[in-house]
Amino acid sequence: QLQLVESGGGLVQPGGSLRLSCAAPINNLDYYAIGWFRQAPGKEREGVSCVSSSGGITNYADSVKGRFTLSRDGTKNTVHLQMNNLSPEDTAVYYCGVVIIGANTFWGQGTQVTVSS
């Protein structure tokens, strides 16, 4: 199976920043989409940011545009989510997800992000 491992979550004050990382062995895959999702207490999981293996433009949820940035390292084995200007509304468990086009979807275990003063 494709195993994803998230890291970088923690407690941060409003206005602060965090950088999440996802170890994803996707360098041997041809067609996929990878991104970040989050689930806040009492709410359903929502998409935050994603990009496909085609190298297209990265997509962002309206709530995070201008504050969050998705990036990949040179080998594409690790993806990151730089989160700036965090607010309490960003508090959630953040998940890394990979969709193999026409096949399966894989999820990491999640990492907790808490924004509080």
Side-chain angles (χ1 to χ4, degrees):
Q1 280 199 322
L2 182 63
Q3 297 184 358
L4 311 176
V5 181
E6 303 99 333
S7 63
L11 175 64
V12 65
Q13 294 184 341
S17 299
L18 285 174
R19 186 172 186 250
L20 306 183
S21 297
C22 173
I26 57 178
N27 58 314
N28 292 326
L29 302 177
D30 292 327
Y31 304 103
Y32 64 88
I34 187 169
W36 291 91
F37 303 77
R38 68 185 182 186
Q39 186 167 15
K43 298 183 178 180
E44 296 183 351
R45 184 164 56 183
E46 63 177 353
V48 176
S49 180
C50 64
V51 67
S52 71
S53 57
S54 66
I57 298 175
T58 302
N59 296 304
Y60 297 94
D62 290 340
S63 60
V64 306
K65 287 182 178 178
R67 300 188 298 119
F68 291 9
T69 303
L70 178 68
S71 63
R72 294 166 287 178
D73 64 15
T75 64
K76 298 184 179 181
N77 286 326
T78 304
V79 297
H80 309 279
L81 184 68
Q82 179 66 45
M83 305 185 296
N84 299 324
N85 301 316
L86 288 163
S87 71
E89 295 181 348
D90 296 314
T91 295
V93 177
Y94 284 70
Y95 299 89
C96 181
V98 173
V99 177
I100 309 300
I101 305 302
N104 300 321
T105 301
F106 303 89
W107 299 97
Q109 294 300 111
T111 183
Q112 176 70 48
V113 172
T114 301
V115 185
S116 176
S117 60

